[in-house]
Amino acid sequence: RTSEWPRCHEAAKNPGSSYERALEARRFLPLSPAAEPLESAGWVPLEAPFDDELAITRDLFLFGDLIGVTYREDRYAIPRAILKRETRRRVEKIVREEGKDPKALGRAFIKAVEAAVLGELKARTLPRTRLCDVLWDMQKGEMRVFGRGTLANERVASLIERTFQV
């Protein structure tokens, strides 16, 4: 696209500072069991993909004419059947202990119990992590993505376009 060429061309003159800001803006944010999202994705340093506090500075991604970063995606994978079973058990316990009528419990109450159970299950499990390394040789104009499936094809490609404006 011609409208993106000036930005891309300017960034190529000084890739350290412009790409540092772009990578930092799209960095990976770790999941929290108490928070609602079940998934998080973004850039992490190539050499330290699990060091969540480490800032993505140019000394960690710029290697001469090469840019190297890692795409990280974390996802809580809690089977729906387990969530339903644990929610049912919790509702039964509430009915037993508080003497509530099971038929009087509303849909909103059941959803609130399910959300609480989901938070507890997330706190007891580790999220699944997928990593995909990306190397960009700016001199040759080649980018290599070391991953397969929809992760490399769709999500990483989209994030590359947004981050590097290419």
Side-chain angles (χ1 to χ4, degrees):
R1 296 180 185 146
T2 19
S3 62
E4 291 179 352
W5 170 249
R7 277 189 284 164
C8 189
H9 184 64
E10 289 299 316
K13 288 181 184 175
N14 186 6
S17 60
S18 58
Y19 290 152
E20 188 171 18
R21 286 190 304 272
L23 288 166
E24 194 62 33
R26 292 164 184 85
R27 73 174 295 148
F28 173 81
L29 299 173
L31 289 173
S32 167
E36 186 177 325
L38 293 174
E39 181 177 314
S40 180
W43 297 117
V44 293
L46 185 66
E47 297 175 355
F50 294 103
D51 195 351
D52 297 331
E53 293 81 32
L54 190 61
I56 307 173
T57 56
R58 70 184 78 187
D59 61 313
L60 295 175
F61 71 83
L62 193 58
F63 308 98
D65 286 334
L66 288 177
I67 289 182
V69 289
T70 299
Y71 171 82
R72 177 175 166 190
E73 178 180 283
D74 281 8
R75 175 190 312 232
Y76 282 110
I78 298 172
R80 186 79 183 141
I82 291 175
L83 179 60
K84 282 184 170 185
R85 181 190 71 202
E86 293 301 317
T87 302
R88 188 182 73 247
R89 286 180 180 172
R90 178 69 55 84
V91 169
E92 289 170 357
K93 181 179 176 186
I94 291 171
V95 166
R96 221 179 20 256
E97 290 178 356
E98 297 180 15
K100 293 190 177 211
D101 180 18
K103 295 177 183 169
L105 301 176
R107 183 171 173 86
F109 178 78
I110 302 295
K111 286 291 180 189
V113 170
E114 184 178 282
V117 168
L118 180 62
E120 292 171 11
L121 289 172
K122 284 172 27 180
R124 292 189 331 214
T125 61
L126 288 173
R128 290 183 183 169
T129 299
R130 295 172 71 180
L131 300 173
C132 185
D133 294 335
V134 176
L135 290 177
W136 180 16
D137 186 335
M138 294 184 293
Q139 189 72 22
K140 292 182 180 177
E142 292 179 359
M143 186 171 286
R144 307 263 177 167
V145 178
F146 299 93
R148 60 178 186 250
T150 58
L151 175 69
N153 292 339
E154 296 171 9
R155 294 179 180 189
V156 176
S158 174
L159 190 57
I160 287 169
E161 289 174 8
R162 290 190 314 248
T163 304
F164 300 114
Q165 301 295 314
V166 292

